[in-house]
């Protein structure tokens, strides 16, 4: 499958696409610019600056949205552009580490993952943030915490620590002392094929993984077999999500990060792409905070 460029280059480091009817469609981040981008009907984007970094975004079950900043999450109560950004307490104080990706969970919590600016091994982590803002460490010794998604029944969590070159799967039980258990590899991706980045899960349990440096998104079945490949004319593919009225369109973000100017032949880098893959996605999980 080949994806269609629907925006042209609109972000330096496009990341974290999420479709939600609460904000009228597709939203993603221009991470290093600290901006939230909302796709408009005419394929332009509306921007809102939220901080030095905008690392992730998800809807809230009571309205508004939760957004990742540099070292913690923040709440916005509604879609009014003037509505204040209300930070939770920072998850750590080390200024050499920032948030990178995360997701709400089936039970309404939020998992937020970090990475060091210098990519030093094991300096990142994954935190569980409760609706009241209380947080705890759930996974340490992470280098680049990236895609996180859940199986249709909520019993499995799929997770990427990018520099492991794997997509891992955990058993997920929010009531257990260790909610993420029995970690094992779903698939190991040869480094020359690209590094696994953001991911999303479809209604059949397939895991769609963006490949940074790989010019592609791949779908893996729940048994780890490769079933689909979406090709893109941009090498740094960052993340993907299902959207559209029937959640049957796959939206894909890309980046210009680490590509020297002039951007040729990467003229499409930083664009949002779309493809109709023949399978529907799952509704986005909201944060209960």
């Amino acid at each position: 499958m080949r994806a269609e460029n629907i925006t042209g280059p609109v972000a330096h480091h496009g990341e974290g696409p999420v479709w939600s009817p609460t904000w009228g469609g597709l939203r993603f981040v221009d991470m290093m610019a600290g901006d939230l981008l909302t796709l408009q009907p005419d394929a332009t984007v509306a921007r809102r600056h939220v901080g030095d970094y905008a690392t992730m975004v998800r809807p809230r079950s009571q309205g508004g949205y939760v957004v990742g900043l540099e070292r913690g999450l923040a709440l916005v109560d509604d879609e009014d552009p003037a509505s204040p950004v209300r930070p939770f307490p920072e998850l750590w104080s080390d200024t050499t580490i920032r948030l990178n990706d995360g997701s709400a969970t089936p039970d309404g919590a939020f998992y937020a993952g970090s990475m060091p600016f210098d990519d030093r091994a094991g300096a990142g982590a994954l935190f569980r943030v409760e609706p009241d803002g209380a947080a705890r460490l759930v996974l340490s010794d992470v280098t680049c915490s990236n895609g996180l998604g859940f199986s249709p029944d909520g019993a499995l969590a799929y997770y990427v620590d990018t520099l492991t070159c794997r997509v891992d799967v955990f058993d997920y039980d929010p009531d257990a002392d260790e909610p993420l258990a029995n970690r094992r590899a779903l698939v190991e991706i040869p480094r020359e094929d690209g590094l696994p980045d953001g991911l999303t899960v479809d209604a059949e349990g397939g895991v769609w993984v963006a490949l940074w440096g790989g010019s592609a998104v791949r779908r893996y079945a729940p048994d780890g077999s490769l079933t689909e490949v979406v090709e893109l004319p941009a090498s740094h593919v960052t993340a993907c999500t299902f959207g559209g009225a029937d959640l049957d369109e796959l939206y894909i973000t890309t980046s210009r990060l680490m590509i020297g100017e002039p951007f040729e032949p990467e003229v499409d880098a930083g664009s949002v792409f779309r493809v109709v893959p023949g399978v529907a996605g799952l509704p986005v999980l909201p944060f209960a905070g």
Side-chain angles (χ1 to χ4, degrees):
M1 291 184 283
R2 293 192 65 83
E4 168 196 13
N5 188 333
I6 62 170
T7 64
V10 292
H12 184 73
H13 186 49
E15 261 283 11
V18 177
W19 182 280
S20 175
T22 64
W23 53 56
L26 186 75
R27 181 166 285 170
F28 56 108
V29 300
D30 193 350
M31 184 180 286
M32 279 53 172
D35 291 346
L36 294 183
L37 279 62
T38 302
L39 185 65
Q40 305 295 299
D42 63 357
T44 61
V45 296
R47 287 180 176 262
R48 179 177 183 183
H49 187 71
V50 295
D52 291 340
Y53 290 83
T55 54
M56 63 197 83
V57 63
R58 289 294 189 279
R60 296 166 60 198
S61 56
Q62 58 186 297
Y65 52 92
V66 56
V67 58
L69 304 178
E70 186 173 355
R71 291 187 294 276
L73 302 179
L75 303 181
V76 179
D77 292 328
D78 54 50
E79 290 300 317
D80 185 338
S83 188
V85 178
R86 301 188 289 109
F88 276 152
E90 290 188 344
L91 295 169
W92 63 87
S93 59
D94 187 340
T95 59
T96 69
I97 297 171
R98 66 165 175 84
L99 279 176
N100 191 55
D101 203 351
S103 175
T105 68
D107 54 303
F110 200 98
Y111 276 45
S114 67
M115 63 172 288
F117 284 102
D118 61 1
D119 293 329
R120 65 189 185 276
L126 185 66
F127 295 85
R128 177 183 170 96
V129 182
E130 302 296 344
D132 63 0
R136 62 185 174 107
L137 178 71
V138 293
L139 194 63
S140 59
D141 194 25
V142 171
T143 302
C144 181
S145 189
N146 234 313
L148 176 66
F150 294 85
S151 59
D153 63 2
L156 300 174
Y158 297 99
Y159 176 68
V160 167
D161 180 359
T162 291
L163 295 180
T164 65
C165 299
R166 297 194 313 267
V167 179
D168 289 340
V169 57
F170 293 84
D171 297 327
Y172 181 67
D173 181 357
D175 297 322
D177 291 338
E178 301 292 337
L180 298 174
N182 191 25
R183 185 175 186 173
R184 63 270 190 198
L186 175 72
V187 63
E188 296 190 23
I189 298 172
R191 193 179 185 94
E192 60 269 22
D193 291 355
L195 297 172
D197 202 315
L199 64 79
T200 192
V201 181
D202 65 39
E204 296 177 0
V207 182
W208 298 77
V209 185
L211 295 182
W212 176 269
S215 303
V217 172
R218 290 183 176 179
R219 181 189 189 267
Y220 294 96
D223 65 1
S225 59
L226 177 64
T227 60
E228 299 286 355
V229 177
V230 180
E231 298 176 346
L232 295 106
S235 59
H236 290 172
V237 186
T238 56
C240 53
T241 195
F242 283 91
D246 298 317
L247 297 179
D248 59 353
E249 301 170 338
L250 189 71
Y251 290 84
I252 303 164
T253 50
T254 61
S255 175
R256 292 190 168 198
L257 193 66
M258 300 171 63
I259 299 172
E261 295 187 43
F263 292 111
E264 295 180 359
E266 295 270 352
V267 295
D268 291 305
S271 302
V272 177
F273 294 81
R274 179 177 59 200
V275 68
V276 180
V279 63
L282 298 167
V284 62
L285 296 170
F287 179 48

